[in-house]
Amino acid sequence: MKYLISLSLKYLRRQKLRSTLTFFSIVLSVFILNTCSVYFSSIITSSRNTIIQTEGSWELECSNIIEQSKDIKKIQYHTSVSNFFYRSQESLQMFTITSNPVPDDPIEYFNISFDDKTSVRCQNLYQYSQTGDPQLINHENISDIQLSENEPEPGSAYMPEFLKKYGYKAGDNISITFTPVKADIDKNSDVAGQIISDYRKDNTSGKPLTNQSLWLSLLRKHDINDIQLTEKSEGIPFSCAYHIAGFIKSDTAYLNTSFCFQTTVGSDNIVSGIARLNPDISDKYVPYSMSYARIKDSINFNTGAEKLISDLGYPENSIFELFPDECVHSDLLAAELKPAYALAQYAIDIVFFLFFLAIAWVISRFVIDNAFEISVCERSAQFGLLRTLGASKSQIKALVFTEAIVYCLTAVPLGVACAVLSCRSVFSSLRKSGITTCEFNINPVFTLIGILLSVTAIFFSAYSSAIWASRKLSPSEALSFGKPDRKTGKRKIKENKGKSRINKKSGVFIFSYTLKNILRTKRRFLISFIALASSVLLFTSLALTGLNLYLSDNLISELSLTGDFQIYSNSLSLADDAEEQFENNELFSDFSSVISYCTSISDNDSQVVKSFFPNDISNGHNIYIRTIDKRNYDKYILPLTSVTYKEFTDTKSALFYSGHSVSQDYKKCILKPSADFGYNTDPSIYIGENNSVSVSGLVTNDNNQNLCIEYLLISRDNFDPQMVTNAQSISDISITVNASSFVNYDKASDYLNQFLKKEIYYYYTDTFYLHTGLEYFIRAVVKIALVFILSLWLTGIISMANSINTSVLNRQKELIMMRSIGMSKRQLYSTVIFESILYSSLSTVIGTAAGIAVLLLEIKCYNTQIKSVFITSAVVFIIISIVFNILVSVLSVFPAVHSISQKLKTE
């Protein structure tokens, strides 16, 4: 046995070319298999990170099983729970609710006095309490309150920030009295006259006011503290005293602010106490709570959840009744591969992965099998001789399996290492592009699956070849490289009465002889042909698609958004704070803020608006206003108007805008001056309270104004908060910030997160990878595509080189014989080279044609426009691709040509 093993190793050393080609075939096959497993492992980890970032790391929503405050602590400190969060909200909203509200309807509010020294009016009362880790839910802040993460001590509370203007500070004690009040508006007051005037102006159609929302919107234009009231009717007051632990910020977009405060979990419920004392407002009391828990990772999820509900006094079999599907974070559990949910949640993904892995394994298996078969066929004479000398089948098999073990110990580690490095490079580029949830991860289970599949493919191929090698060969089969004897008696061989084929013209003979050699080994050539043609198909279709996108318009310009971070809010204070924090910050290259709101216009103004916006004007009397800062003005508007931002601001002029609702609102704009609409001078329009602006023209990025957004564009410096106070609504405040570079992305992101902890906002988006990091994002996508394309292409090239070189080596005696009967060296070498050209050109042309077909189908499906420059570029690209593949295939056969040359010299 020792001699047989040394014989196998000697063969591997002697046949360096054969061993090298087989080695790299196995390396590529292992690379493809393990790339799939490493990618899948990293994708699952990245999905988990994305879910945690957007939805939180909670696993159970426990509101259904919390009945008393003591249950909160019982869940929080339970042995099965690793993390917990609880938040409660109780509210009383005091506003007029009637079926047909009119100005005579009374106003309901709370009169809130502090230490019997001062008082305010509020229509909304909110009491919050929370405990645990709020990062467990990680929900985007969609409320109008910024609560403190620290739970106040018993007897303490976080009070609304507006108390600071009354001289209160953290550490003070405060006594508060809440008194429900119902009162009428003093019709003789200025505020009442303005409300009634607005009501009558908006009711010019004569229709009765049956919609409550309009009446409420009229009230909200005014601070309730400024409204003169009469005929007050007070309810039963409720008093409490607290130590001020600090202050919380609430949305102050409207001046009739809500009174929001945060107390300790389980403390006296002020809001519910007020509702109990005043039954007439008890129907306006709304309690709400949320609670989330995470089961410890060290225990089974089902076991931990069942123990939790059992210790709370519920029967164990009620887990699915207490926790319906929406209360179990099944997406996260699946991403964490928790056994109870992983297979069901990711069934389709797992099936797709297994299907893709099976295809990769079959391709790898064919390629490795081809390499082993070639190796064994080449040594068929040696195996026949060993069998003749008495070697057993087991000993012959051991020779082949020795090679398989050597390849397992050398090629498999290299293939796995290449797969890991490739995947790591891709996910590193994705992180650099700003997709921080992308994480490279090597899961031992998936890695082991990839290695086992690789080793299995090697030994399956080795086994099939070993079975063939260990069979008993006749001397003639051994001398003909294992080919069985043909019984020519069964068929009549036609006598060729013409000239011998060797006497034919050189070109015809070379083609005929080459085609015969290909057909003799058609199985091996077919495998290599499919691999190379598939890689050419993928490369051609992807490359031409990318080329078409690039030439149709700049790809990066089309994909790129206008900023790295977008913040959306309706808090005016956030816009001012953001300007202070980001304007001259070295971590950020650009900063801009846009304030949008809706306000009413007069009948005369509506005629002006209609002339600029003939298609639509909201209700004929409302218009949306949007601000533009200097950065966006200089970038988009200045080239159109030639009016500087300072001149635009000083003249208090405005522009109407009409265009598609996209992030690049001002791209490809054109300017139509007021003269185009029949005005000799710029018409004026009133916005807010007596703010007159002249309209100098219409900015539009689309001649067809269907499906467009329309608004009035004013300078950011001309914006007055009083405009919003008197507006009907704030659409949003959009703040865009750009990181100075991808190097500063992490610092910029952390800085922004710290800033937002102190602010009120709806949500913010991180789109760094579609702006500053877009180049790195595209690189990562290109890497992913190239990894698989190059793997298939190299597999096809090596398999082709392996087949051609083996065919040549196996035909050495035949070629020497052909040389001895008159074939020139030039003819001899031409047959080998032509065989390679014929094979590679056929696979390249078919693969390229299929790639073009895929591109045309894509263009038809997506109705993509093709430019003439693309056709020219595509033709050049296709020619270069075909020539390159043929050139590579020709170069790959030179070792075989060199081997023949050396053999001829020795003969």
Side-chain angles (χ1 to χ4, degrees):
M1 181 60 70
K2 182 178 180 181
Y3 170 75
L4 293 175
I5 294 175
S6 65
L7 188 65
S8 294
L9 297 178
K10 182 179 179 180
Y11 166 78
L12 293 175
R13 290 193 301 268
R14 187 178 68 240
Q15 295 291 342
K16 295 182 177 62
L17 177 61
R18 170 65 48 246
S19 300
T20 301
L21 291 174
T22 304
F23 175 82
F24 280 108
S25 295
I26 295 175
V27 167
L28 284 171
S29 300
V30 173
F31 173 79
I32 293 172
L33 287 171
N34 285 272
T35 296
C36 295
S37 62
V38 176
Y39 265 113
F40 191 70
S41 173
S42 299
I43 288 172
I44 288 178
T45 303
S46 301
S47 300
R48 175 184 179 275
N49 295 339
T50 301
I51 292 170
I52 290 176
Q53 185 183 75
T54 56
E55 302 176 21
S57 58
W58 61 276
E59 294 177 344
L60 288 175
E61 203 280 309
C62 307
S63 298
N64 289 352
I65 62 173
I66 291 182
E67 295 181 350
Q68 306 176 34
S69 59
K70 64 180 181 180
D71 289 339
I72 298 173
K73 300 297 182 184
K74 192 177 290 186
I75 296 175
Q76 185 174 8
Y77 299 108
H78 193 271
T79 56
S80 299
V81 175
S82 63
N83 207 356
F84 177 77
F85 177 70
Y86 170 83
R87 174 183 290 176
S88 69
Q89 170 189 312
E90 298 179 79
S91 65
L92 272 171
Q93 297 180 340
M94 301 283 288
F95 48 79
T96 304
I97 299 179
T98 61
S99 59
N100 186 22
V102 293
D104 292 333
D105 284 337
I107 293 178
E108 295 177 300
Y109 62 93
F110 293 103
N111 187 72
I112 308 174
S113 62
F114 311 108
D115 296 322
D116 295 328
K117 296 178 181 178
T118 186
S119 64
V120 296
R121 299 171 183 169
C122 285
Q123 287 189 291
N124 302 318
L125 183 61
Y126 296 93
Q127 180 180 359
Y128 296 92
S129 63
Q130 68 180 34
T131 185
D133 182 12
Q135 295 300 320
L136 187 67
I137 60 172
N138 203 24
H139 284 164
E140 296 166 336
N141 186 1
I142 58 173
S143 67
D144 296 331
I145 189 73
Q146 189 72 51
L147 300 178
S148 173
E149 293 185 1
N150 299 319
E151 184 179 359
E153 297 291 333
S156 299
Y158 289 96
M159 290 295 167
E161 195 175 37
F162 72 81
L163 286 181
K164 291 181 179 179
K165 68 180 181 180
Y166 296 113
Y168 290 98
K169 59 184 182 297
D172 290 349
N173 295 318
I174 186 172
S175 177
I176 310 174
T177 301
F178 301 89
T179 306
V181 179
K182 183 182 295 186
D184 295 329
I185 299 176
D186 185 355
K187 296 181 181 179
N188 296 321
S189 65
D190 295 336
V191 173
Q194 182 63 44
I195 291 177
I196 295 174
S197 174
D198 291 341
Y199 164 70
R200 290 174 177 172
K201 181 178 67 175
D202 289 330
N203 196 31
T204 53
S205 62
K207 295 181 180 179
L209 180 59
T210 58
N211 189 341
Q212 169 193 343
S213 60
L214 180 56
W215 172 235
L216 294 179
S217 67
L218 296 175
L219 289 178
R220 288 174 178 172
K221 290 183 180 181
H222 303 273
D223 184 355
I224 193 172
N225 290 285
D226 296 334
I227 300 176
Q228 289 77 31
L229 303 171
T230 61
E231 304 294 332
K232 296 180 181 179
S233 174
E234 296 184 351
I236 301 175
F238 185 97
S239 299
C240 59
Y242 283 105
H243 178 79
I244 300 179
F247 297 95
I248 55 178
K249 182 182 291 188
S250 59
D251 180 20
T252 56
Y254 301 113
L255 294 182
N256 57 335
T257 57
S258 303
F259 189 89
C260 308
F261 60 103
Q262 180 181 352
T263 59
T264 309
V265 173
S267 64
D268 294 336
N269 294 324
I270 308 302
V271 176
S272 61
I274 298 173
R276 284 195 305 269
L277 290 177
N278 298 273
D280 57 325
I281 62 172
S282 60
D283 59 328
K284 300 175 183 179
Y285 168 71
V286 180
Y288 172 76
S289 66
M290 63 172 71
S291 57
Y292 296 89
R294 180 177 178 83
I295 302 299
K296 290 181 178 178
D297 296 333
S298 58
I299 62 177
N300 180 272
F301 172 77
N302 278 1
T303 303
E306 288 172 359
K307 181 172 176 54
L308 173 62
I309 65 170
S310 176
D311 292 344
L312 290 174
Y314 296 96
E316 291 186 6
N317 58 6
S318 65
I319 178 173
F320 294 106
E321 297 177 4
L322 295 171
F323 299 113
D325 291 340
E326 62 271 15
C327 295
V328 178
H329 203 171
S330 55
D331 289 338
L332 179 63
L333 291 171
E336 292 177 339
L337 301 179
K338 294 295 177 71
Y341 295 90
L343 293 178
Q345 189 68 18
Y346 277 118
I348 297 178
D349 300 296
I350 292 174
V351 169
F352 175 79
F353 168 71
L354 293 177
F355 177 75
F356 189 81
L357 197 61
I359 293 177
W361 187 84
V362 170
I363 294 175
S364 301
R365 166 80 170 78
F366 282 155
V367 171
I368 297 173
D369 186 67
N370 189 33
F372 270 100
E373 181 183 345
I374 291 171
S375 175
V376 170
C377 287
E378 184 179 348
R379 289 182 293 158
S380 58
Q382 182 188 81
F383 292 140
L385 180 60
L386 290 173
R387 289 285 284 142
T388 303
L389 295 175
S392 65
K393 290 185 177 182
S394 299
Q395 290 174 323
I396 298 298
K397 292 177 182 177
L399 285 172
V400 180
F401 278 113
T402 299
E403 295 180 29
I405 293 173
V406 172
Y407 290 130
C408 285
L409 296 177
T410 55
V412 171
L414 181 59
V416 173
C418 291
V420 169
L421 292 175
S422 172
C423 184
R424 182 175 182 178
S425 175
V426 168
F427 277 82
S428 175
S429 296
L430 289 173
R431 287 188 68 86
K432 284 183 179 180
S433 71
I435 309 179
T436 56
T437 56
C438 287
E439 180 183 347
F440 170 71
N441 179 61
I442 302 178
N443 188 298
V445 175
F446 293 115
T447 304
L448 182 61
I449 290 174
I451 294 174
L452 288 177
L453 287 175
S454 302
V455 173
T456 303
I458 293 173
F459 276 97
F460 272 21
S461 300
Y463 177 77
S464 61
S465 298
I467 292 296
W468 184 88
S470 63
R471 67 190 178 93
K472 189 72 174 180
L473 297 179
S474 66
S476 61
E477 286 178 325
L479 292 176
S480 61
F481 301 100
K483 295 175 183 177
D485 291 329
R486 293 182 179 271
K487 297 181 179 180
T488 58
K490 292 184 177 180
R491 62 185 181 89
K492 184 177 181 181
I493 300 176
K494 293 182 179 180
E495 181 182 357
N496 187 2
K497 297 181 180 180
K499 294 182 179 180
S500 173
R501 292 190 178 186
I502 195 67
N503 295 324
K504 289 186 175 182
K505 290 184 179 180
S506 175
V508 176
F509 169 72
I510 290 174
F511 176 80
S512 175
Y513 183 66
T514 301
L515 185 61
K516 180 180 179 181
N517 289 326
I518 291 177
L519 293 176
R520 284 193 301 179
T521 54
K522 53 183 176 296
R523 179 177 176 273
R524 292 199 300 267
F525 277 101
L526 182 61
I527 294 173
S528 303
F529 171 82
I530 293 174
L532 183 57
S534 300
S535 64
V536 173
L537 185 156
L538 290 172
F539 177 76
T540 302
S541 59
L542 289 176
L544 291 179
T545 299
L547 183 65
N548 186 38
L549 290 173
Y550 180 80
L551 293 177
S552 60
D553 271 312
N554 191 302
L555 178 63
I556 293 181
S557 175
E558 285 298 312
L559 292 178
S560 179
L561 298 180
T562 56
D564 296 330
F565 308 97
Q566 289 82 37
I567 309 170
Y568 301 92
S569 175
N570 65 359
S571 174
L572 296 176
S573 61
L574 183 142
D576 296 333
D577 293 344
E579 186 171 359
E580 179 182 345
Q581 292 293 324
F582 303 127
E583 183 67 39
N584 297 312
N585 193 317
E586 62 181 7
L587 293 177
F588 303 94
S589 60
D590 290 312
F591 162 78
S592 64
S593 64
V594 175
I595 301 175
S596 301
Y597 58 97
C598 179
T599 189
S600 59
I601 57 178
S602 66
D603 289 338
N604 292 333
D605 290 340
S606 67
Q607 298 304 317
V608 175
V609 176
K610 276 189 174 182
S611 63
F612 285 90
F613 297 152
N615 292 335
D616 178 40
I617 175 173
S618 180
N619 296 326
H621 297 284
N622 299 331
I623 189 171
Y624 281 94
I625 314 294
R626 175 176 288 191
T627 66
I628 184 170
D629 58 11
K630 186 177 185 303
R631 168 183 170 271
N632 283 325
Y633 183 91
D634 291 344
K635 187 174 182 179
Y636 301 112
I637 306 301
L638 180 60
L640 300 176
T641 64
S642 299
V643 177
T644 66
Y645 179 76
K646 186 177 185 306
E647 293 172 341
F648 180 68
T649 302
D650 292 343
T651 57
K652 293 187 176 182
S653 60
L655 290 166
F656 281 121
Y657 173 81
S658 176
H660 287 297
S661 179
V662 294
S663 57
Q664 304 96 329
D665 280 341
Y666 309 110
K667 281 189 175 182
K668 300 180 183 179
C669 290
I670 60 173
L671 174 67
K672 297 180 180 180
S674 298
D676 291 355
F677 297 92
Y679 293 97
N680 296 325
T681 59
D682 294 341
S684 296
I685 190 171
Y686 284 89
I687 58 174
E689 283 292 320
N690 301 319
N691 291 291
S692 176
V693 296
S694 59
V695 181
S696 57
L698 172 69
V699 173
T700 179
N701 65 0
D702 191 354
N703 292 328
N704 181 8
Q705 296 184 13
N706 294 327
L707 302 177
C708 291
I709 55 173
E710 300 172 337
Y711 50 77
L712 187 65
L713 202 62
I714 66 171
S715 166
R716 175 69 172 85
D717 293 343
N718 284 340
F719 171 75
D720 184 354
Q722 189 66 24
M723 297 177 182
V724 179
T725 301
N726 295 306
Q728 290 189 5
S729 66
I730 298 179
S731 176
D732 62 67
I733 297 174
S734 173
I735 298 171
T736 301
V737 186
N738 296 330
S740 56
S741 68
F742 78 91
V743 177
N744 289 328
Y745 167 74
D746 290 335
K747 294 181 180 178
S749 180
D750 291 341
Y751 187 92
L752 181 64
N753 286 325
Q754 293 299 321
F755 167 76
L756 291 176
K757 284 184 179 180
K758 304 174 183 178
E759 300 294 336
I760 300 297
Y761 62 97
Y762 289 143
Y763 62 94
Y764 93 97
T765 58
D766 182 345
T767 54
F768 180 86
Y769 73 100
L770 289 177
H771 189 251
T772 302
L774 180 60
E775 180 181 350
Y776 291 90
F777 177 71
I778 294 177
R779 285 184 188 178
V781 174
V782 170
K783 282 182 183 180
I784 295 174
L786 286 180
V787 162
F788 289 101
I789 292 174
L790 290 178
S791 299
L792 286 173
W793 181 76
L794 287 174
T795 301
I797 288 292
I798 291 178
S799 182
M800 178 202 69
N802 207 349
S803 298
I804 293 176
N805 282 279
T806 300
S807 176
V808 171
L809 292 175
N810 288 346
R811 290 186 288 118
Q812 282 185 358
K813 292 182 179 181
E814 177 185 326
L815 293 172
I816 293 172
M817 183 190 68
M818 298 294 290
R819 171 72 175 134
S820 65
I821 62 176
M823 178 182 283
S824 66
K825 285 186 178 181
R826 185 172 178 272
Q827 287 179 315
L828 197 66
Y829 298 152
S830 297
T831 59
V832 178
I833 296 175
F834 185 71
E835 185 176 335
S836 172
I837 292 175
L838 184 63
Y839 160 74
S840 60
S841 59
L842 183 63
S843 58
T844 302
V845 169
I846 293 178
T848 301
I852 295 173
V854 171
L855 174 67
L856 294 177
L857 180 62
E858 177 185 332
I859 291 172
K860 183 178 180 180
C861 292
Y862 293 98
N863 196 24
T864 308
Q865 298 295 327
I866 297 181
K867 293 187 175 182
S868 58
V869 65
F870 166 73
I871 299 176
T872 304
S873 302
V875 171
V876 173
F877 166 79
I878 291 170
I879 294 174
I880 293 175
S881 175
I882 294 175
V883 171
F884 178 76
N885 279 283
I886 295 175
L887 180 61
V888 170
S889 64
V890 171
L891 293 176
S892 68
V893 300
F894 270 95
V897 173
H898 177 72
S899 176
I900 296 173
S901 178
Q902 293 298 111
K903 189 72 174 177
L904 290 175
K905 289 179 181 179
T906 61
E907 293 293 334

